DNA sequence: AAACCATATGAAAACGCTTTCATTATGGAT
DNA sequence: ATCCATAATGAAAGCGTTTTCATATGGTTT
C-alpha cells in the first residue's frame, strides 16, 4: 500500500477542497472584492483545515509585493536603541504576516550596492533609523526604486516619506523646567550632533526655557558632545573645569550624561548634592549608573512599531500624511541624579 | 518614436548578449561544472555589462534554497549582545549574497506558529542565540523542517547542528587566576543561570582553580544571580552582608558585576581598595561603570560571523563537524575594578 | 426588448528562475 | 575505424502564486 505523499499543500489543494478555482482562493486570501460570502467562507474553512501556508516566493514572483520589510541603518546607533527598534518593527510585521530583514550600509557603501540590494529584494517597505534616515544617497536610491519608506527621528522632511518622532522641543523644555523647579539657576547644556534635527530642537528648547525663566546661560556652559560618551567627557570637562561652574547639567543623551557623572567623580564633585545631572533616552545603563540617572524615556519600540504600521497602511493603499511626522510621547523618569540646588 | 522600455533585465537578456542559453547562464551563476571557460567568461561579461540582478524570489521558487538566513531568538538577550550578533551575521551574509531576517519567538509562541514561519520562509539556515539555542520546541521544529541550524553558546550538543562558543572554562580560570595573582585569597562568586552550560562551566572553573591554589571557598560566598542585574543585587547582598566577607567577587557577567558595584557602594565598601570586582562579557556599560570593570570580552560579532559561515558552508555541501563546537578566543580586559588584596 | 452595468467566476498566461532530459561534441581506449 | 565515457549545451518542464481576460449572471436603465 503506497503511503500518502506528505507533499506541500498548495493553493490548488485548497481550491479543490473548497470547490472553487485557484483564482477565487487567491482573491479571498488577498481580500479582494467580488467573492460571494459563501464561497469565501468555504475557502477560509478549507485553508484552515489543510493548514495552508502560501509560498512567499511564489507570491512575490507573481505579484509585485514582497512580504519583506527592511530595517536599514548605516552607522549603528546604540545596540539597545537598535534592538528596541527591531523588536517594535518585528511585532508589527508579525501582525501583518510580514517579515523583517535587516541590512547595514556603512559609510563606504556605494550607490550601486544599495540599488542592487533594493532591486534584488524588492522590499515592501523600509524603515530607516537615525542616522540612516538622513543619508541622502540611501534616500535617493529608495525613492528611485519606489520603495515605501518610513523614517525615524529624521532631520526635516522628505517628500513622500512619512516619519515618526518624539516632540524633542517639549521634552527638553520639560526637562529644563524640572531643573529650574529644583531651584537651579546655573545650568549647563551638552548638545548632541548639530547635524541632527533632534539635537538642535533640544538645544533650542533649553535656551528658550531658560530665557523664559529669566535665567542667563554663559556660552561656555553650552558644549557639544556629538551624542558620544567620549564627546561627553570633553564637554563635561570644558564646563566643569571652569572657575564658575553650573549646579546642574542637561546632557542631550544618556551616554553623555554618564560621561558627566564620570568627570564629576574625577573632579570630586558630588552628584547630586553639588551637581544635578540629567540625560535623555533612558538606556538601560541609566538605571545602573551611580547615582541613577534622571532622564526622559523615548518610546523606541513604539516608534518602530508605528513606522512599520505606516508602511503596512501605505501598502494597503491608505493615504498617509507624509508632510507632518507622527509624534509620540516621552516619559519623564525621575531618579537620583537630580536634587535641589545647593545653597549659594 | 517609441522610447525604449526600461524593463528589468532577466536571465534571458544575459543569455542573448552572451550568445548562450539561459541554462548555461544559470549554470555559470551557480558555479556548476561543465561550462567551457570561454562561455563562462562571456556570461560573466554580459552579466556585468547589463548589471544583471538575479531575482531572489524566482530563484527561491525554482530552486529550493532561499537566500535568507534567519537570526532567531526568544527572550532577548541584552540589546548590545544581540546587535553585535546581528552585525556579525549580516557581514557574513553580505559576503555570500544572502540576507538576514530576524524573528522573535517569545515564551508564548506555539509550535504551530514556528512551523508556519519556517515553512513559509524556507530559510537557508538559522542562527540561534542563547537562550533560544536551547529551546527544545524551536530546535525540534527546525529539525523537522530540515533547516540547517547553527547554535551560539548552547548547552550541550544537538545532533546535526554545529555550534560556536568560547572556552568558558579557560576564560573563567584565567579570570580567577588574575584575582589570585593580585593576592586575593578570599574570593566570592556569582553564578549565572544554572540551566546554561556556560554558567556551569564558569563556576566549575572557579572552583577548580581555587582548589588548585589551595584556597577554600565557603559555600555562602557562592551565589546565583541568573545573569540578571536584579539577581546580581540579591547575590551581592547575600555575600557582602555577612560578617566574613571576601576581598574579591567574580561575577559571571557584567550586569551582575555592575550590581556588585552598586551594592558595595551602598554598603560603603570601596572598590577596588577593599573589594575587587570582575565581570564577564565586556558590555559597553563596563567601561563607564565607576570604577571601570575588569572583565573578559566575548567576541560576539565574530561568533555570529562564524555561525553564519558554517551555515553557508553547509549549504555548499561542505562537511561540518556538528559534534564539537567551534571555540573562539576571549580577551582579558584589565580596568580599574581590580586591585591588590587589602592587608589582612 | 435591447442595452447597459456591477458582480462573480474560472482558464490560462505570466513571473524569472532552476532542473530535468535529451542531444551533441570530444577524446581516449579498443 | 569503432565504441564509450565524459564534457558541454539547450529546449522545455516545472516552481506556486497573481493577474489578465473572457464569460456568465442578474438587475437597471433606455
Amino acid at each position: 500500500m503506497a503511503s500518502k505523499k506528505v507533499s506541500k499543500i498548495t493553493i490548488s489543494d485548497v481550491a479543490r477542497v473548497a470547490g472553487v478555482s485557484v483564482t477565487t482562493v487567491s482573491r479571498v486570501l488577498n481580500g479582494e472584492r467580488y467573492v460571494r460570502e459563501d464561497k469565501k467562507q468555504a475557502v477560509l474553512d478549507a485553508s484552515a483545515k489543510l493548514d495552508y501556508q502560501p509560498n512567499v516566493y511564489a507570491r512575490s514572483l507573481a505579484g509585485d509585493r514582497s512580504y519583506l520589510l527592511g530595517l536599514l541603518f548605516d552607522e549603528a546607533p546604540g545596540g539597545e536603541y537598535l534592538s528596541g527598534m527591531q523588536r517594535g518593527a518585528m511585532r508589527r510585521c508579525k501582525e501583518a504576516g510580514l517579515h523583517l530583514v535587516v541590512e547595514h550600509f556603512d559609510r563606504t557603501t556605494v550607490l550601486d550596492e544599495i540599488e542592487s540590494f533594493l532591486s534584488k529584494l524588492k522590499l515592501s517597505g523600509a524603515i530607516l533609523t537615525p542616522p540612516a534616515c538622513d543619508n541622502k544617497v540611501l534616500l535617493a536610491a529608495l525613492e528611485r526604486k519606489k520603495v515605501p519608506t518610513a523614517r525615524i527621528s529624521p532631520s526635516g522632511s522628505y517628500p513622500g516619506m512619512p516619519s515618526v518622532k518624539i516632540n524633542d522641543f517639549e521634552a527638553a523644555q520639560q526637562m529644563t523646567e524640572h531643573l529650574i523647579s529644583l531651584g537651579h539657576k546655573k545650568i549647563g547644556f551638552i548638545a548632541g550632533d548639530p547635524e541632527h534635527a533632534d539635537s538642535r530642537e533640544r538645544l533650542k528648547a533649553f535656551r528658550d526655557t531658560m530665557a523664559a525663566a529669566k535665567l542667563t546661560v554663559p556660552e561656555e556652559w553650552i558644549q557639544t558632545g556629538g551624542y558620544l560618551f567620549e564627546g561627553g567627557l570633553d564637554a563635561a570637562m570644558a564646563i566643569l573645569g571652569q572657575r564658575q561652574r553650573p549646579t546642574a547639567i542637561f546632557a542631550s543623551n544618556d551616554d553623555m550624561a554618564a560621561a558627566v557623572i564620570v568627570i564629576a567623580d574625577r573632579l570630586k564633585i558630588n552628584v547630586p548634592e553639588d551637581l544635578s545631572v540629567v540625560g535623555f533616552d533612558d538606556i538601560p545603563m541609566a538605571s545602573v549608573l551611580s547615582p541613577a540617572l534622571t532622564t526622559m524615556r523615548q518610546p523606541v519600540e513604539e516608534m518602530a512599531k508605528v513606522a512599520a504600521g505606516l508602511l503596512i497602511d501605505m501598502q494597503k493603499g491608505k493615504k498617509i500624511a507624509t508632510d507632518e511626522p507622527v509624534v509620540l510621547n516621552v516619559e519623564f523618569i525621575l531618579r537620583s541624579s537630580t536634587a535641589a540646588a545647593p545653597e549659594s
Side-chain angles (χ1 to χ4, degrees), chain A:
Chain A
M1 192 158 142
S3 73
K4 196 155 200 168
K5 189 94 167 291
V6 200
S7 67
K8 211 171 177 52
I9 291 164
T10 73
I11 195 173
S12 43
D13 296 322
V14 178
R16 189 163 10 79
V17 171
V20 298
S21 73
V22 294
T23 313
T24 300
V25 176
S26 175
R27 286 205 178 94
V28 172
L29 263 36
N30 291 293
E32 286 173 27
R33 298 183 311 176
Y34 300 153
V35 179
R36 244 168 44 206
E37 199 53 42
D38 57 338
K39 301 221 173 193
K40 181 169 173 177
Q41 202 51 55
V43 168
L44 258 25
D45 289 348
S47 163
K49 179 177 160 200
L50 298 176
D51 188 30
Y52 167 62
Q53 301 294 343
N55 179 312
V56 182
Y57 305 111
R59 300 185 88 171
S60 304
L61 179 57
D64 50 3
R65 35 190 184 296
S66 79
Y67 307 89
L68 292 181
L69 236 52
L71 182 66
L72 312 186
F73 41 94
D74 43 8
E75 309 319 315
E80 294 292 344
Y81 184 82
L82 190 59
S83 72
M85 287 285 158
Q86 194 168 294
R87 215 167 21 248
M90 240 161 31
R91 294 242 160 88
R92 190 66 185 77
C93 278
K94 199 169 253 184
E95 288 174 25
L98 303 184
H99 300 282
L100 191 67
V101 12
V102 295
E103 195 80 22
H104 172 100
F105 298 109
D106 61 23
R107 214 181 293 284
T108 68
T109 314
V110 285
L111 181 62
D112 276 0
E113 212 173 322
I114 299 176
E115 295 212 325
S116 143
F117 167 76
L118 293 178
S119 46
K120 258 199 319 212
L121 260 78
K122 284 200 133 316
L123 296 176
S124 282
I127 300 176
L128 304 191
T129 65
C133 55
D134 298 313
N135 180 325
K136 306 273 189 220
V137 177
L138 186 49
L139 288 171
L142 286 161
E143 191 173 23
R144 270 182 25 80
K145 295 288 180 186
K146 303 196 195 313
V147 179
T149 302
R151 305 193 302 155
I152 294 187
S153 298
S155 296
S157 63
Y158 198 94
M161 294 186 182
S163 59
V164 181
K165 55 176 296 189
I166 56 167
N167 190 326
D168 286 285
F169 189 92
E170 274 185 19
Q173 183 176 42
Q174 186 185 348
M175 189 56 101
T176 309
E177 281 165 355
H178 166 64
L179 293 173
I180 294 174
S181 75
L182 285 171
H184 293 278
K185 297 188 187 322
K186 306 193 293 185
I187 309 179
F189 186 89
I190 302 181
D193 184 339
E195 294 280 311
H196 284 42
D198 49 19
S199 175
R200 295 194 299 267
E201 285 288 301
R202 291 175 200 177
L203 174 54
K204 181 168 191 319
F206 172 71
R207 291 202 133 110
D208 289 5
T209 310
M210 290 298 279
K214 311 251 185 279
L215 296 172
T216 53
V217 186
E219 278 307 307
E220 311 89 72
W221 288 356
I222 299 186
Q223 298 286 336
T224 294
Y227 281 143
L228 302 173
F229 180 75
E230 288 73 16
L233 289 174
D234 296 342
M237 201 59 217
I239 296 175
L240 295 176
Q242 301 171 27
R243 276 148 268 122
Q244 276 283 0
R245 60 166 71 131
T247 62
I249 292 184
F250 178 177
S252 295
N253 76 351
D254 287 353
D255 284 298
M256 299 192 299
V260 174
I261 289 178
V262 167
I263 293 293
D265 192 53
R266 204 175 290 168
L267 297 177
K268 309 281 181 220
I269 301 172
N270 292 322
V271 178
E273 294 79 4
D274 300 328
L275 180 73
S276 285
V277 178
V278 299
F280 207 103
D281 283 352
D282 195 31
I283 59 177
M285 191 201 300
S287 61
V288 307
L289 281 169
S290 174
L293 195 63
T294 292
T295 189
M296 196 64 79
R297 178 180 299 162
Q298 284 203 58
V300 176
E301 190 170 330
E302 184 66 18
M303 290 169 87
K305 206 165 175 176
V306 169
L310 287 171
L311 293 173
I312 291 167
D313 287 347
M314 283 173 85
Q315 194 189 264
K316 285 188 186 156
K318 277 195 199 158
K319 279 286 158 241
I320 299 294
T322 60
D323 44 346
E324 281 302 310
V326 176
V327 176
L328 300 185
N329 290 324
V330 295
E331 184 187 354
F332 177 68
I333 307 287
L334 180 61
R335 296 209 183 85
S336 42
S337 66
T338 48
E343 309 288 320
S344 53

Short mmCIF file of all heavy atoms in Angstrom, two decimals, chain A residues 171 173-179 181-182 277-280 282 293-298 329-335 338:
data_model
loop_
_atom_site.label_atom_id
_atom_site.label_comp_id
_atom_site.label_asym_id
_atom_site.label_seq_id
_atom_site.Cartn_x
_atom_site.Cartn_y
_atom_site.Cartn_z
N ALA A 171 9.92 67.92 25.18
CA ALA A 171 10.60 67.05 26.13
C ALA A 171 11.77 67.78 26.79
O ALA A 171 11.95 67.73 28.01
CB ALA A 171 11.11 65.80 25.41
N GLN A 173 12.12 70.95 27.01
CA GLN A 173 11.55 72.03 27.80
C GLN A 173 11.15 71.50 29.18
O GLN A 173 11.50 72.09 30.21
CB GLN A 173 10.30 72.54 27.07
CG GLN A 173 9.64 73.72 27.74
CD GLN A 173 8.47 74.22 26.89
OE1 GLN A 173 7.69 73.44 26.34
NE2 GLN A 173 8.37 75.54 26.78
N GLN A 174 10.49 70.36 29.17
CA GLN A 174 10.04 69.77 30.43
C GLN A 174 11.23 69.45 31.33
O GLN A 174 11.20 69.68 32.54
CB GLN A 174 9.24 68.51 30.13
CG GLN A 174 8.59 67.88 31.35
CD GLN A 174 7.90 66.56 31.01
OE1 GLN A 174 7.72 66.22 29.84
NE2 GLN A 174 7.52 65.82 32.05
N MET A 175 12.27 68.93 30.71
CA MET A 175 13.45 68.57 31.47
C MET A 175 14.11 69.81 32.08
O MET A 175 14.50 69.82 33.24
CB MET A 175 14.43 67.82 30.56
CG MET A 175 15.61 67.22 31.28
SD MET A 175 15.10 66.10 32.62
CE MET A 175 15.31 64.51 31.82
N THR A 176 14.19 70.84 31.28
CA THR A 176 14.78 72.09 31.77
C THR A 176 13.95 72.64 32.93
O THR A 176 14.50 73.08 33.95
CB THR A 176 14.84 73.13 30.63
OG1 THR A 176 15.47 72.54 29.48
CG2 THR A 176 15.63 74.36 31.06
N GLU A 177 12.66 72.57 32.77
CA GLU A 177 11.77 73.06 33.84
C GLU A 177 11.94 72.26 35.12
O GLU A 177 11.84 72.80 36.22
CB GLU A 177 10.31 73.04 33.37
CG GLU A 177 9.99 74.24 32.48
CD GLU A 177 8.69 74.08 31.71
OE1 GLU A 177 8.07 72.99 31.79
OE2 GLU A 177 8.32 75.05 31.00
N HIS A 178 12.20 70.97 34.95
CA HIS A 178 12.44 70.15 36.13
C HIS A 178 13.62 70.70 36.94
O HIS A 178 13.54 70.87 38.16
CB HIS A 178 12.71 68.70 35.71
CG HIS A 178 13.30 67.83 36.79
ND1 HIS A 178 12.62 67.52 37.96
CD2 HIS A 178 14.51 67.22 36.90
CE1 HIS A 178 13.39 66.76 38.73
NE2 HIS A 178 14.54 66.56 38.10
N LEU A 179 14.69 70.99 36.22
CA LEU A 179 15.88 71.52 36.90
C LEU A 179 15.59 72.88 37.53
O LEU A 179 15.99 73.14 38.67
CB LEU A 179 17.04 71.62 35.90
CG LEU A 179 17.58 70.27 35.39
CD1 LEU A 179 18.61 70.48 34.28
CD2 LEU A 179 18.19 69.45 36.53
N SER A 181 12.77 73.99 38.52
CA SER A 181 11.87 73.84 39.67
C SER A 181 12.61 73.36 40.91
O SER A 181 12.13 73.51 42.04
CB SER A 181 10.73 72.88 39.32
OG SER A 181 11.23 71.56 39.32
N LEU A 182 13.77 72.75 40.72
CA LEU A 182 14.57 72.31 41.87
C LEU A 182 15.41 73.47 42.42
O LEU A 182 16.20 73.29 43.35
CB LEU A 182 15.50 71.17 41.45
CG LEU A 182 14.83 69.79 41.25
CD1 LEU A 182 15.82 68.81 40.64
CD2 LEU A 182 14.31 69.25 42.59
N VAL A 277 22.51 66.11 37.41
CA VAL A 277 22.78 65.70 36.03
C VAL A 277 21.54 65.01 35.46
O VAL A 277 20.94 64.16 36.12
CB VAL A 277 23.96 64.70 35.98
CG1 VAL A 277 24.21 64.26 34.54
CG2 VAL A 277 25.22 65.32 36.56
N VAL A 278 21.16 65.41 34.26
CA VAL A 278 20.07 64.70 33.60
C VAL A 278 20.48 64.31 32.19
O VAL A 278 21.33 64.94 31.58
CB VAL A 278 18.77 65.55 33.52
CG1 VAL A 278 18.27 65.91 34.91
CG2 VAL A 278 18.99 66.80 32.69
N GLY A 279 19.85 63.25 31.71
CA GLY A 279 20.15 62.76 30.38
C GLY A 279 18.90 62.71 29.52
O GLY A 279 17.93 63.43 29.77
N PHE A 280 18.94 61.84 28.53
CA PHE A 280 17.83 61.74 27.60
C PHE A 280 17.91 60.38 26.92
O PHE A 280 18.99 59.98 26.50
CB PHE A 280 17.96 62.84 26.55
CG PHE A 280 16.65 63.28 25.95
CD1 PHE A 280 16.05 64.47 26.34
CD2 PHE A 280 16.01 62.49 25.01
CE1 PHE A 280 14.84 64.88 25.80
CE2 PHE A 280 14.79 62.89 24.47
CZ PHE A 280 14.21 64.08 24.86
N ASP A 282 16.83 57.23 28.33
CA ASP A 282 16.63 56.11 29.25
C ASP A 282 17.14 54.80 28.68
O ASP A 282 16.38 53.84 28.50
CB ASP A 282 15.17 55.95 29.68
CG ASP A 282 15.05 55.03 30.89
OD1 ASP A 282 16.01 55.02 31.70
OD2 ASP A 282 14.05 54.33 31.02
N LEU A 293 20.31 57.73 36.87
CA LEU A 293 20.12 58.94 36.09
C LEU A 293 18.66 59.36 35.90
O LEU A 293 17.82 58.56 35.47
CB LEU A 293 20.76 58.71 34.72
CG LEU A 293 21.02 59.90 33.81
CD1 LEU A 293 22.02 60.85 34.46
CD2 LEU A 293 21.53 59.40 32.48
N THR A 294 18.38 60.62 36.20
CA THR A 294 17.09 61.19 35.85
C THR A 294 17.12 61.46 34.35
O THR A 294 18.09 62.03 33.85
CB THR A 294 16.86 62.50 36.61
OG1 THR A 294 16.71 62.21 38.00
CG2 THR A 294 15.61 63.22 36.11
N THR A 295 16.10 61.02 33.66
CA THR A 295 16.16 61.11 32.20
C THR A 295 14.77 61.16 31.57
O THR A 295 13.76 61.17 32.27
CB THR A 295 16.98 59.93 31.63
OG1 THR A 295 17.23 60.11 30.25
CG2 THR A 295 16.26 58.62 31.84
N MET A 296 14.74 61.18 30.25
CA MET A 296 13.49 61.26 29.52
C MET A 296 13.43 60.06 28.61
O MET A 296 14.29 59.90 27.74
CB MET A 296 13.52 62.57 28.70
CG MET A 296 12.21 63.05 28.16
SD MET A 296 10.99 63.50 29.41
CE MET A 296 11.55 65.14 29.92
N ARG A 297 12.45 59.21 28.83
CA ARG A 297 12.42 57.96 28.07
C ARG A 297 11.78 58.12 26.69
O ARG A 297 10.69 58.63 26.56
CB ARG A 297 11.66 56.89 28.84
CG ARG A 297 11.53 55.57 28.08
CD ARG A 297 10.79 54.54 28.87
NE ARG A 297 11.49 54.25 30.12
CZ ARG A 297 10.93 53.66 31.17
NH1 ARG A 297 9.66 53.31 31.15
NH2 ARG A 297 11.64 53.43 32.26
N GLN A 298 12.48 57.65 25.68
CA GLN A 298 11.92 57.64 24.34
C GLN A 298 11.22 56.31 24.12
O GLN A 298 11.78 55.27 24.45
CB GLN A 298 13.03 57.72 23.29
CG GLN A 298 13.65 59.05 23.10
CD GLN A 298 14.29 59.15 21.72
OE1 GLN A 298 13.62 58.97 20.72
NE2 GLN A 298 15.57 59.42 21.69
N ASN A 329 4.75 60.33 22.52
CA ASN A 329 5.07 60.96 23.80
C ASN A 329 6.28 60.36 24.50
O ASN A 329 6.52 59.16 24.43
CB ASN A 329 3.87 60.84 24.74
CG ASN A 329 2.74 61.71 24.27
OD1 ASN A 329 2.96 62.81 23.75
ND2 ASN A 329 1.51 61.22 24.40
N VAL A 330 6.99 61.20 25.19
CA VAL A 330 8.11 60.74 26.01
C VAL A 330 7.63 60.58 27.44
O VAL A 330 6.52 60.96 27.78
CB VAL A 330 9.26 61.76 25.99
CG1 VAL A 330 9.84 61.89 24.60
CG2 VAL A 330 8.78 63.10 26.50
N GLU A 331 8.49 59.99 28.26
CA GLU A 331 8.11 59.80 29.66
C GLU A 331 9.25 60.28 30.55
O GLU A 331 10.40 59.86 30.39
CB GLU A 331 7.82 58.32 29.91
CG GLU A 331 7.33 58.01 31.29
CD GLU A 331 7.21 56.49 31.53
OE1 GLU A 331 7.41 55.73 30.55
OE2 GLU A 331 6.95 56.09 32.67
N PHE A 332 8.91 61.13 31.48
CA PHE A 332 9.93 61.67 32.39
C PHE A 332 10.25 60.63 33.45
O PHE A 332 9.36 60.08 34.09
CB PHE A 332 9.39 62.95 33.04
CG PHE A 332 10.33 63.55 34.05
CD1 PHE A 332 11.54 64.11 33.64
CD2 PHE A 332 10.01 63.54 35.40
CE1 PHE A 332 12.41 64.66 34.57
CE2 PHE A 332 10.89 64.10 36.34
CZ PHE A 332 12.08 64.66 35.91
N ILE A 333 11.53 60.31 33.61
CA ILE A 333 11.93 59.30 34.57
C ILE A 333 12.77 59.96 35.66
O ILE A 333 13.92 60.36 35.43
CB ILE A 333 12.80 58.20 33.92
CG1 ILE A 333 12.10 57.61 32.69
CG2 ILE A 333 13.14 57.12 34.93
CD1 ILE A 333 10.94 56.71 32.99
N LEU A 334 12.19 60.06 36.84
CA LEU A 334 12.91 60.71 37.94
C LEU A 334 13.72 59.69 38.72
O LEU A 334 13.17 58.74 39.26
CB LEU A 334 11.91 61.40 38.87
CG LEU A 334 12.52 62.13 40.07
CD1 LEU A 334 13.45 63.25 39.61
CD2 LEU A 334 11.42 62.69 40.97
N ARG A 335 15.04 59.90 38.76
CA ARG A 335 15.87 59.01 39.57
C ARG A 335 16.68 59.87 40.52
O ARG A 335 16.21 60.94 40.93
CB ARG A 335 16.76 58.13 38.67
CG ARG A 335 15.96 57.18 37.79
CD ARG A 335 16.75 55.90 37.47
NE ARG A 335 16.02 55.00 36.57
CZ ARG A 335 16.02 55.11 35.25
NH1 ARG A 335 16.73 56.04 34.64
NH2 ARG A 335 15.34 54.23 34.52
N THR A 338 19.34 63.95 40.32
CA THR A 338 18.93 65.36 40.45
C THR A 338 18.49 65.63 41.88
O THR A 338 17.86 64.79 42.52
CB THR A 338 17.77 65.71 39.50
OG1 THR A 338 16.75 64.71 39.61
CG2 THR A 338 18.24 65.80 38.07
#
